Amino acid sequence: MLRRMKKVATDSTQGSSGDPETEPQKNKESDKKAFLDLKKFSKSGPEMLSETAEDLDFNGNLEQNRLAEAQKLLVASEERLFGSNKPARAEEEEGELMNNYQCFITHLEMIIKDSFIENNHERLKSAVTAILQEEAQDKRWEALAVEKRPSWRLTTFREIHDKQLKDVVEERMKNANEQENGADKLSTPLMREVCRLGKQIQKDLLVVVRRLRECYPPDFDICKIYAQLYHQAFSIRLKELTRSNVDIKDCCYILSWIVFNYPNDVLNHKELKGHIDQSSLGPLLPEGTLKILHEQYFLHKEKEVRKWLSNAFGKEFRKWSDGVEPQLMDGVYFSSLDGDIIPLIDSCMKEIKSVFGSESKNEFILCQLDSYLKDYRKNLEEFIKVKQGGAAKTLCANLVTIHQFRDYVQKTESLFPENTKRSLLCTLADIKTDCQQYFLSRIHTELKPVYRKLWTDAWCHRHDRVLDDLVTALENHFHRLKTLKSVCRGELLSELHLAVMVEYVRRMMKKKLKLKKKKHQEEAAEFMCQDSKSICSTFAKAGSDEKWLSEILPRLSEILRLQDPGSLKLEIVTLARIYPDLSQQHVVAVLKLKSNLSSSDLCGIKDCLLENRDQQDDHSSPSFFSKVIVKKKISHPLLSFPK
C-alpha cells in the first residue's frame, strides 16, 4: 500500500483532486485557496521539500522528519481509498492507513516537544506545514456525512499541537534551572521558586519571538499561545505557593514580581513588545488572594515607616540634647534629617502607589510623617527654652530641613491627598515660624535702642545719623545670618523686613511728634521717603523679596506732604483701597500728626472715607496695617467711624 501511496500523491498533485463526489463546488474553491496558502507558506520552509523528497516513501519521510511530505502521501492514500471511484475498500488497507496516521501523529508530537531544541527549526516548520495541510484536508471532508468519512476524520491536529505545547511549557517550568536563572542567590525557597519561574518565562518567550515564530504562519498567533500557556503555568504555581500563609519577606517578593518584574521586565521586554498583549492574559492571582497579600504588605510598610521615622527623629533629638553642633558645608549649617527621611518616604509612597494602583494608601504613611513632625516641633520648642541663646546654629540647620520637607511636599503633590498635604504644610509652616521667631525676637531686642529714636526730635534734627545707625545695625545682623542657606536666609530677611517696616510705622503713629507747620510736615515726608529707600535697598541687597514694602512709607508720606483738603481726601481713600486692613485708628493716628487741619477738613475726610470704604483695589497689597498695633484710645471727635 505504501508503495502505491507515492504514485497516488504524484497523480493528485498533477490535477486530480480526489474529492468525494458529493462535496459542493464552493468547498472545492475554498480548498483550492487553502492549498495555495499552504504552498505559499511551504516555500519559505525547509529545503527538505525539494525534489529529493519525491524519492522517499512514507516511512522514509517520517524517518527524516519530513512531515509535510509524509502527510501528502497519507492524504493521497486516503483519497485513493475513500474517493468516489472506489465503491469498496479492503479493511486491511484502511487499517494500515490508520496505523500510518498514528505513526505520523507520534512523530508530530515528538517534533513539537523538541520545539526549543536549537537544531529543530526545519523539522518544526515542516510539522506546522503538515498541520495546516491536515486542516485543509479536514475541510474537504467536512461537508460529507460522518459515515462516508474515514474513521479518523475530522482530525484534531491543532488540538494535538496545543496540548503538546502545554506539556512543553509545564515541563520547562518544572525543570527550570535555579543557577542558570540566578535564583539560587535568594534567601528563601519561595523567592527562589518565583524567580526561577519568572526568569524561565522571559528566557523562553524570547526564544519564541526570536526563532520559533518563524516556523508558524502569522494567523497561528504562536506568540500569544505561548504567552498564555506560560502565564497560566505561572499563575497556577503562584496560587499553590500562596495557598498557605507566607511570611512578609516572601509576600513582598511575590508582589514585586506581580507588580513590577513580570509586567515590566518579562512581558514588556523590548524584544517582546508588539508580540504579546498583556491585557489579554488576566491577573496572576485571584482578587481575594491579592487582597490578603496587599493587607499584609501594607501593615508591614506602616510598621517599617514608623521605625524609620522613629530612628531618624530620635537620632536628631539626641544630637540636640548632647550638644552636637550641626554640620557646616560650604559655609552653611545643615542637618541630615531631611536626607534620611525624604528618600525613604518618597520610595515607599511610589512603591505603594504601584502596588495598589492609586495614592489612596499614601495618606496613612503621610499621617505618620505629620505626627512625627508635630512631635518634632514640641521637641524643638523645648530645646529653644533650654538653650536660649545657644540654639542659633541648630535652628539654622533646622530651617534648611523644614525648607527641604516643604519643597518635597509641594513638588510631588501628585503623591499627596489634598487634606494631608494641607496638614503637612501647616505643620511645617508652624515649625518655620518658631525657628524664625527665635532670630527675629533677638534682632528686635537689639534694635530697640535705634527704634526708640525714630519719630522723635533726635530723628528730626539728626536724621542722617539715626538712619545710619539703623542701617548699620541691620547689616550687622545680616552678617550673622551668613551660615543660613540662602533661600532660608531670604525668607527670614523677608519676615524681618516686614517687621522693621511695621515697627517704623508703629513708632510714627505713637504721636510723639506734632508737625504744626507745612515746612515740618514736608521735611518729615522727605525723611520718610529717604528712610524707605535706605531700609528697603539694604534688605533687597541682603536677599529680601518683599518689594511691595517699599511703597508703604512713600504713600504715608503723601498724607503729611499734602495740604489741599481735596488731594488729602483722595490720598487717604486711595490708601484705604490699596490696604483694606487700614483701620480707623490708623487713619486717626496719621492725621493727628498734622495738627494744622481744620475741623471742616477733618469732617470732609471722614465723609469721603466712609463713602468709599467698601471699594477695594483690584491689586490690593498683602496685609500690613493689621500688624501695626496702635492704642485704641487714640481718636478724634470728628473722625468717629460707625461700628
Side-chain angles (χ1 to χ4, degrees), residues 507-543:
R507 293 280 172 177
M508 171 190 173
M509 293 183 177
K510 286 186 74 172
K511 66 181 180 59
K512 285 188 176 184
L513 281 179
K514 294 292 183 180
L515 306 172
K516 296 179 180 180
K517 296 181 179 181
K518 175 185 175 183
K519 175 185 176 182
H520 295 155
Q521 293 173 17
E522 289 177 344
E523 285 178 351
E526 181 62 28
F527 289 162
M528 287 180 72
C529 290
Q530 291 177 19
D531 292 350
S532 177
K533 184 177 180 180
S534 294
I535 294 170
C536 292
S537 62
T538 300
F539 272 102
K541 289 177 184 177

Side-chain angles (χ1 to χ4, degrees), residues 94-112:
E94 184 175 350
E96 186 178 355
L97 183 56
M98 184 180 294
N99 288 336
N100 288 340
Y101 259 108
Q102 290 299 323
C103 290
F104 174 77
I105 291 172
T106 299
H107 275 73
L108 179 71
E109 290 175 341
M110 290 171 57
I111 291 174
I112 294 172

